[in-house]
């Protein structure tokens, strides 16, 4: 004789499963988000490694790719952020994009605020905020990577690149200077390399530690990355605040002098 309680038990199990599914953060449909401010436009594809894929200033696109990778623990591989379930993608106001990814104990919020200059000025700024939250009662060992491939003046080659301690990357292709820097946390490691070396390193299935080395003093297609190592306690969070600046500078004929000019103007850039 069949146990009359089995149907009730199965029904309860299905109800619990459906409830858990409905309550869990749900992935959102794929599309690209764009915002405009002043003379500038940015576009973000949060569903692929393209990430922040356009930064147009006065009609010229200076960016090929900027995105994030994360690894838990010292072993295993880092994964690009888009592999995690995307539960929120929204344009908060006319010039702000907000993304939220959530998997297990880790919640990641990314916010881009675009500040365009006056038309024809050649200047533009992006304020970036990343918040990492540990929603568990266990310690979370995280390694966070930000990869950037600037193509200044809309071209892949001809750029110079340099790291200025403790937290500034400069890239130059006359007449455009780009600065990428943190404003509240010094990165644990950094690296400059020719495309696609860093991208391949982040995707090779092995744990990565950036080399704290590299310079682009010869014109080329340079990329750079920052690494941040965190140990988050139970329910702890950490924020990384960054700035990305595009500035026009006078044309200087020889590349080495141009880079030195950028370093000399560091005070102007960091204001």
């Amino acid at each position: 004789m069949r146990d009359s309680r089995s149907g009730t038990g199965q029904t309860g199990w299905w109800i619990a499963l459906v409830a858990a599914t409905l309550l869990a953060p749900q992935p959102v449909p794929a599309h690209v988000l764009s915002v405009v401010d002043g003379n500038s436009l940015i576009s973000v594809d949060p569903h692929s490694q393209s990430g922040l894929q356009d930064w147009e200033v006065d009609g010229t696109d200076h960016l090929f790719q900027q995105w994030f990778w994360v690894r838990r623990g010292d072993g295993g591989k880092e994964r690009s952020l888009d592999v995690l379930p995307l539960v929120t993608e929204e344009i908060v106001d006319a010039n702000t994009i907000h993304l939220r990814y959530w998997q297990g104990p880790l919640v990641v919020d990314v916010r881009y605020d675009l500040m365009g200059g006056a038309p024809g000025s050649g200047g533009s700024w992006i304020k970036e905020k990343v918040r990492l939250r540990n929603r568990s009662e266990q310690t979370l060992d995280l390694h966070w990577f930000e990869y950037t491939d600037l193509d200044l003046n809309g071209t892949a080659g001809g750029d110079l690149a340099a790291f200025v301690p403790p937290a500034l990357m400069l890239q130059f292709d006359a007449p455009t200077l780009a600065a990428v820097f943190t404003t509240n946390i010094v990165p644990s490691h950094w690296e400059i390399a020719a495309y696609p070396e860093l991208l391949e390193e982040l995707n090779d299935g092995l744990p990565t530690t950036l080399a704290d080395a590299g310079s682009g003093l010869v014109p080329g297609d340079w990329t750079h990355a920052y690494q941040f190592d965190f140990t988050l306690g139970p329910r702890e969070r950490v924020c990384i605040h960054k700035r990305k600046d595009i500035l026009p500078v006078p044309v200087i004929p020889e590349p080495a002098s141009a880079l030195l000019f950028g370093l000399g103007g560091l005070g102007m850039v960091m204001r």
Side-chain angles (χ1 to χ4, degrees), residues 169-188:
M169 289 285 181
L170 288 176
Q171 198 158 326
F172 181 83
D173 186 359
T176 304
L177 174 70
V180 180
F181 54 95
T182 59
T183 60
N184 69 322
I185 293 178
V186 175
S188 306

Side-chain angles (χ1 to χ4, degrees), residues 52-64:
L52 179 59
Q53 60 185 12
D54 295 301
W55 185 6
E56 295 184 11
V57 183
D58 288 316
T60 299
D61 193 352
H62 296 284
L63 180 69
F64 180 70

